[in-house]
Amino acid sequence: MRILYAIGSWGLGHAARSLPVLEALQADGHDLTVISSGRALLMLRRELGDRCEFLDWPHFPHTVGRSAAALYARTAVALPAMLRVMTWERQATRTLLRRRRFDRIVSDNRYGVQDPAVPSFHVTNNVRFLAPGRVAVLEWALEAFNYAWFRGLRRVIVPDTPEDALAGDLAHRLRIFPSRLLAYVGLLSPVRARDTGQDLDVFITISGPEPQRSLLERLVRSQLASIPGKVVVTRGRPEGSDVERVGAVDVHDFLGRKHQEEMMNRARVIIGRPGFSTLTSVAEVERKAVFIPTPGQTEQQYLAAFHHARGAIYAAPQARARLADAIDAAVQRSGLTARVKTAEAVRRVVELIRAG
């Protein structure tokens, strides 16, 4: 089959969790055309090389705010641009389909890349967006917005289990979506658990859109000397390939998936943003974690608080994060685990796409 696979560009998370699915589809003999942009597209090119055709399409802006009021204001300002890009994506998809035949369309955070004439799927952990302050009426409207865009799809693929292992209210306790539209497949992580031994005390993975990526890096660098043991840092910049030695710490511009997998398996504690891709990777390797949510990013703040309250991880607000103390607290927590891991989840996704 010829498959059009579109991937969002908010940080690297959507691209990272798409990689095992893309590779499985390639192994299944399908011809892939991949849409993305920015650092996500750069990472996909590095990982997949010339095995896919790539299209560089713009993505809608990612809004964050330091408070609920700031997020509301910035989202209101950005909303017309978001809708324009989503509408443009839909029109560009139709134009592409007039020129070329595709048998399936899969999208991960690219709302406009779908078409009623081609069996279409959307991968998301955000079946419902959470409103700052958890305003019930607004969250109902946000879920209704998603359903309006997704109701023509064959399935919405949710990288979680029906038992609510990871996503919480983002994908569970829904009020509008019919269950027949949702396929809970399990974890989709770019890394796999390996028996490497845990000879690394702390692995710090920095990620996300600017300027918050740089702010987290500044925080980490300012406290590296206070973290005991063996520490490795990745800056999440796929455009770079340098390794800097800071005291006894190796700071990598970027780690490819295999090296990232190695570090996560070797580490006793992982520090990073609680983006859903990082969350699933920590659950895949079943490690302890310190999560520092992006200020003003409602999803990350919710996920960090949700799993902190469950006793699984330690959540540290960026403004008050003391990494050495947070590591000590995280070691006392249970860590993240998963019932259905990536290998089985990928098999389920490929079967859904193949069945159409």
Side-chain angles (χ1 to χ4, degrees):
M1 290 190 298
R2 293 179 56 83
I3 300 174
L4 183 64
Y5 204 118
I7 300 166
S9 307
W10 290 358
L12 300 177
H14 298 282
R17 75 177 176 200
S18 298
L19 279 171
V21 178
L22 290 166
E23 290 178 334
L25 290 170
Q26 285 180 326
D28 211 30
H30 304 298
D31 184 9
L32 299 178
T33 297
V34 177
I35 295 170
S36 195
S37 62
R39 284 177 170 165
L41 179 57
L42 183 60
M43 187 189 83
L44 290 163
R45 286 185 187 275
R46 285 180 61 160
E47 293 287 343
L48 298 171
D50 59 0
R51 289 178 285 164
C52 298
E53 177 189 8
F54 294 96
L55 300 177
D56 189 346
W57 286 12
H59 198 203
F60 51 76
H62 189 192
T63 57
V64 296
R66 293 185 180 274
S67 66
L71 181 60
Y72 280 131
R74 293 185 182 187
T75 302
V77 171
L79 188 58
M82 292 180 181
L83 293 173
R84 280 197 301 273
V85 171
M86 291 159 66
T87 302
W88 179 89
E89 284 179 341
R90 181 162 283 184
Q91 293 170 344
T93 301
R94 289 172 180 166
T95 300
L96 182 63
L97 291 174
R98 283 197 292 269
R99 300 200 319 263
R100 299 167 58 181
R101 178 183 64 82
F102 288 96
D103 304 295
R104 302 287 187 273
I105 297 174
V106 185
S107 173
D108 188 326
N109 201 37
R110 289 274 185 164
Y111 277 57
V113 184
Q114 56 173 281
D115 192 88
V118 180
S120 299
F121 302 83
H122 194 97
V123 180
T124 184
N125 55 279
N126 281 111
V127 184
R128 172 203 289 129
F129 291 112
L130 301 186
R134 300 303 307 270
V135 179
V137 173
L138 184 54
E139 288 190 359
W140 182 92
L142 291 169
E143 186 182 338
F145 173 84
N146 269 359
Y147 181 60
W149 277 89
F150 295 161
R151 62 186 177 185
L153 300 173
R154 292 299 174 93
R155 300 296 284 275
V156 175
I157 298 171
V158 184
D160 197 5
T161 59
E163 297 82 14
D164 186 14
L166 290 178
D169 288 348
L170 296 169
H172 301 275
R173 294 170 285 282
L174 303 167
R175 288 178 282 181
I176 297 174
F177 272 82
S179 59
R180 59 176 171 75
L181 188 58
L182 303 171
Y184 293 90
V185 296
L187 293 191
L188 288 176
S189 166
V191 306
R192 306 291 177 91
R194 290 165 46 190
D195 185 14
T196 60
Q198 296 181 28
D199 63 341
L200 182 63
D201 293 288
V202 181
F203 176 54
I204 304 175
T205 175
I206 299 169
S207 60
E210 298 290 359
Q212 289 296 338
R213 190 212 63 83
S214 293
L215 292 175
L216 179 58
E217 181 180 347
R218 190 180 308 164
L219 167 70
V220 167
R221 284 180 177 272
S222 72
Q223 298 188 36
L224 278 179
S226 70
I227 302 174
K230 189 174 182 180
V231 181
V232 172
V233 178
T234 177
R235 301 173 65 205
R237 299 180 71 250
E239 64 270 27
S241 58
D242 293 339
V243 182
E244 178 186 358
R245 189 75 171 174
V246 180
V249 178
D250 287 335
V251 179
H252 299 257
D253 275 347
F254 181 75
L255 289 174
R257 182 169 36 139
K258 292 302 181 185
H259 287 106
Q260 184 99 351
E261 177 178 279
E262 177 189 348
M263 295 302 172
M264 284 192 156
N265 277 281
R266 288 172 54 194
R268 294 185 177 91
V269 176
I270 297 168
I271 299 177
R273 297 291 196 199
F276 200 74
S277 179
T278 302
L279 201 74
T280 56
S281 293
V282 173
E284 180 80 19
V285 298
E286 299 188 352
R287 289 296 182 268
K288 316 277 187 174
V290 175
F291 285 139
I292 305 170
T294 302
Q297 220 280 22
T298 309
E299 173 191 333
Q300 290 191 13
Q301 291 175 332
Y302 168 77
L303 288 171
F306 178 65
H307 290 288
H308 182 97
R310 283 182 158 188
I313 59 92
Y314 184 79
Q318 183 167 295
R320 302 190 302 276
R322 299 292 180 266
L323 298 184
D325 293 341
I327 291 165
D328 289 340
V331 169
Q332 306 304 317
R333 302 255 162 169
S334 64
L336 289 171
T337 60
R339 295 183 181 181
V340 181
K341 293 195 173 183
T342 299
E344 172 61 18
V346 168
R347 186 192 66 78
R348 294 177 181 183
V349 172
V350 171
E351 282 191 358
L352 285 168
I353 295 170
R354 188 189 296 130

